[in-house]
Amino acid sequence: MKVLLIAPRGKKTSYNKFSKWDNVGLGLLYLVSSLKENGFEVQVALTDNEGVKKYLDVFHPDIIGITCVTSTYNTAIAILKTVKAYDKSIITVIGGHHVTFTVEETLNESCVDYAVRGEGEEVFPKLLKNLMKDKPHELIEGVCFKRGKRIYNKNSIAMVKDINKLPHPDRDSVKHYDFPGIYMLSSRGCPFKCTFCSAANLYGGVWRKRNVENILDELEGIKDIRKNKVTVQFGDESLTVDTKWAKELCRGIIERGFKFNWYPNSRIDSINRDPELLKLMKEAGCKGLSLGIESGVQEIIDSLCKGITLKQALGAAEKMKDAKLYQQWYLMIGSGDKYDEPKYIKQSIEFMKKFPFDLLQISILTPFPGTRLYNQLKKEGRIINTNWDLYDGLHCVYKPLGMTAEQLEKELTIAYREVYMHAGIWAFFRRILRFKNTLANSRNFFTFINLLIKVGLFRKDIRVALE
């Protein structure tokens, strides 16, 4: 049985220009390894509904597996329509965060045969083996399908009980794409309850870490890992949930003699509570961290259930500055509640003007399906747009209470201009030269400079600048 796994291409006129979502995510590479381990022939494609035709002509798959996030869902469905038009007998399976929380809509509105909720490494091979045994409707945890008007299994989610038992992701299957950098996962899930993040609902507040030796063994298999030629991006929700474990990983990297640049996501509170952590991360080759401050207004941070304070954020920033680590921060415009007013956005911008970041990515608050925020806004009738293409951090898809959606969208461009340009043109260029290494490669560096120049100097709207 031949399986084609597809990652839909992200839109070029969005933050996908800098994002892993215009890439083949680790989820698919883990699936490749699991499927091969179970004897299936697998090929991977990063494509759209036009490009998929060449894979159908050449590879002749029996099964199509496709993953998506919210902003690539429409592309994924378009691809599946092309597949079914080409050959109705090809079995189609879809998965990913978005589908996990919209499984009924997905199965009712599309031509897909199966939808997987949660993690697919164990259940997807089981499904394929059942299909080979002519048992297409045997229930498997997390695998949903429709018969007549009934949807089966819609309330179950597949979770891998022991992630240490999974085979390492098959990076050789995408080496022809020559992606910049290498992505890794050392843990899954998140124990925190931010209202705007779907991880809390997907993983039920459970955080699972891999054994340090398991992670080090995966790193061992990466070419040139000891020659300072490799950049690794850890895609964990936060690498530093357990600082004792994170430090054990750093010591393991040092002891094995690995020499590579790496960048994790982290949390402000982790950095503040363990003064030894940053020093050890730096010694192990870490070059910078990505963190979410989300807002420069404490009341908004509290309403988002972020669990941090602005004082803690400033403390973490100073510690990273002292350790000479690059700082990439994330800020959102909007709150989804009574704080959606121009005065609070201005207050947030004023705070960030004084903040010692190297790179700041600013987005519009987006209520993704599966988040508490989405559920609340939907209950209040304030979701005004369900064109998933617009769930990209550049569009306001909900009705703010103290301003219009259009006004909030304009504030995004103003925020970029004021935060980056308030100290003048030369300070702007000194800043962007400092954060060169925080982007995956030189192409992304110059693309981001171009974006900031268009917005900051030529006063273009950010969505126009991204075209």
Side-chain angles (χ1 to χ4, degrees), residues 292-301 304 310 314 330-335 339-357 360-363 411-412 414-416 418-420 422:
I293 189 170
E294 318 311 350
S295 176
V297 179
Q298 187 62 52
E299 291 84 353
I300 294 177
I301 291 174
L304 296 172
L310 293 177
L314 285 168
Y330 297 100
L331 181 78
M332 296 188 296
I333 299 295
S335 63
Y339 299 109
D340 270 339
E341 293 186 27
K343 67 178 181 179
Y344 293 111
I345 295 174
K346 183 174 178 59
Q347 184 180 334
S348 186
I349 292 171
E350 289 301 315
F351 179 84
M352 294 311 298
K353 283 181 181 179
K354 305 169 187 175
F355 200 81
F357 64 85
L360 180 69
Q361 181 171 309
I362 312 172
S363 305
E411 292 287 352
L412 178 62
I414 294 170
Y416 265 111
E418 292 198 9
V419 168
Y420 277 100
H422 74 280

Side-chain angles (χ1 to χ4, degrees), residues 171 179-184 218 222-223 230-234:
R171 294 185 175 87
F179 292 128
I182 291 170
Y183 284 95
M184 281 192 69
E218 182 179 341
I222 296 173
K223 184 181 178 182
V230 176
T231 297
V232 173
Q233 176 72 49
F234 284 95

Side-chain angles (χ1 to χ4, degrees), residues 73-130:
Y73 173 78
N74 288 342
T75 303
I77 296 304
I79 290 171
L80 294 179
K81 287 180 179 178
T82 299
V83 170
K84 287 296 188 181
Y86 181 91
D87 185 348
K88 288 184 180 180
S89 70
I90 297 175
I91 302 296
T92 54
V93 186
I94 191 169
H97 272 228
H98 182 84
V99 171
T100 293
F101 296 109
T102 60
V103 67
E104 290 187 71
E105 294 92 328
T106 299
L107 289 172
N108 283 328
E109 297 171 2
S110 72
C111 56
V112 70
D113 296 304
Y114 297 91
V116 176
R117 301 187 71 223
E119 299 172 339
E121 291 96 337
E122 294 177 340
V123 299
F124 192 33
K126 287 181 183 178
L127 170 63
L128 300 192
K129 288 178 179 179
N130 278 353

Side-chain angles (χ1 to χ4, degrees), residues 2-5 31-32 35-36 40-44 59:
K2 299 167 75 172
V3 184
L4 177 63
L5 297 179
L31 274 181
V32 173
L35 290 169
K36 286 184 176 179
F40 296 101
E41 184 180 350
V42 190
Q43 192 171 119
V44 179
F59 186 56

Side-chain angles (χ1 to χ4, degrees), residues 89-340:
S89 70
I90 297 175
I91 302 296
T92 54
V93 186
I94 191 169
H97 272 228
H98 182 84
V99 171
T100 293
F101 296 109
T102 60
V103 67
E104 290 187 71
E105 294 92 328
T106 299
L107 289 172
N108 283 328
E109 297 171 2
S110 72
C111 56
V112 70
D113 296 304
Y114 297 91
V116 176
R117 301 187 71 223
E119 299 172 339
E121 291 96 337
E122 294 177 340
V123 299
F124 192 33
K126 287 181 183 178
L127 170 63
L128 300 192
K129 288 178 179 179
N130 278 353
L131 292 174
M132 293 174 71
K133 296 174 184 176
D134 199 25
K135 296 180 179 179
H137 300 131
E138 188 170 294
L139 295 184
I140 301 170
E141 186 177 34
V143 178
C144 312
F145 56 89
K146 188 176 180 181
R147 290 185 71 184
K149 294 184 179 181
R150 181 180 172 185
I151 295 176
Y152 290 79
N153 252 11
K154 65 182 180 181
N155 294 318
S156 71
I157 295 182
M159 286 291 137
V160 176
K161 290 183 174 59
D162 186 356
I163 58 176
N164 290 290
K165 291 183 178 179
L166 293 175
H168 295 157
D170 188 325
R171 294 185 175 87
D172 286 341
S173 60
V174 291
K175 62 184 180 182
H176 55 289
Y177 283 112
D178 193 27
F179 292 128
I182 291 170
Y183 284 95
M184 281 192 69
L185 280 177
S186 60
S187 64
R188 295 189 184 187
C190 181
F192 303 100
K193 305 290 184 182
C194 303
T195 63
F196 56 89
C197 180
S198 63
N201 281 345
L202 177 61
Y203 299 107
V206 177
W207 179 73
R208 296 160 293 162
K209 60 188 177 185
R210 292 169 59 187
N211 296 332
V212 167
E213 286 302 310
N214 187 292
I215 302 165
L216 295 173
D217 287 345
E218 182 179 341
L219 286 168
E220 192 77 61
I222 296 173
K223 184 181 178 182
D224 294 332
I225 198 66
R226 291 181 172 84
K227 297 182 179 180
N228 262 331
K229 294 181 178 180
V230 176
T231 297
V232 173
Q233 176 72 49
F234 284 95
D236 310 46
E237 300 291 340
S238 174
L239 186 76
T240 58
V241 171
D242 180 344
T243 58
K244 182 180 178 182
W245 169 82
K247 289 189 292 186
E248 185 183 344
L249 175 60
C250 291
R251 293 188 188 100
I253 290 171
I254 295 167
E255 288 168 4
R256 290 213 188 185
F258 295 153
K259 302 289 183 184
F260 66 102
N261 299 332
W262 54 280
Y263 300 87
N265 299 314
S266 184
R267 272 187 59 97
I268 290 164
D269 42 9
S270 301
I271 291 171
N272 281 313
R273 73 169 179 261
D274 194 330
E276 183 190 9
L277 179 62
L278 291 182
K279 180 182 177 181
L280 200 53
M281 291 173 73
K282 177 79 172 180
E283 187 180 348
C286 178
K287 298 299 181 184
L289 294 87
S290 299
L291 306 96
I293 189 170
E294 318 311 350
S295 176
V297 179
Q298 187 62 52
E299 291 84 353
I300 294 177
I301 291 174
D302 294 341
S303 74
L304 296 172
C305 298
K306 182 70 178 177
I308 59 169
T309 67
L310 293 177
K311 183 179 179 180
Q312 288 174 332
L314 285 168
E318 287 302 321
K319 287 179 174 65
M320 286 187 284
K321 186 177 179 181
D322 291 343
K324 294 182 171 55
L325 290 166
Y326 285 102
Q327 306 179 39
Q328 177 169 333
W329 291 83
Y330 297 100
L331 181 78
M332 296 188 296
I333 299 295
S335 63
D337 56 18
K338 63 183 179 180
Y339 299 109
D340 270 339

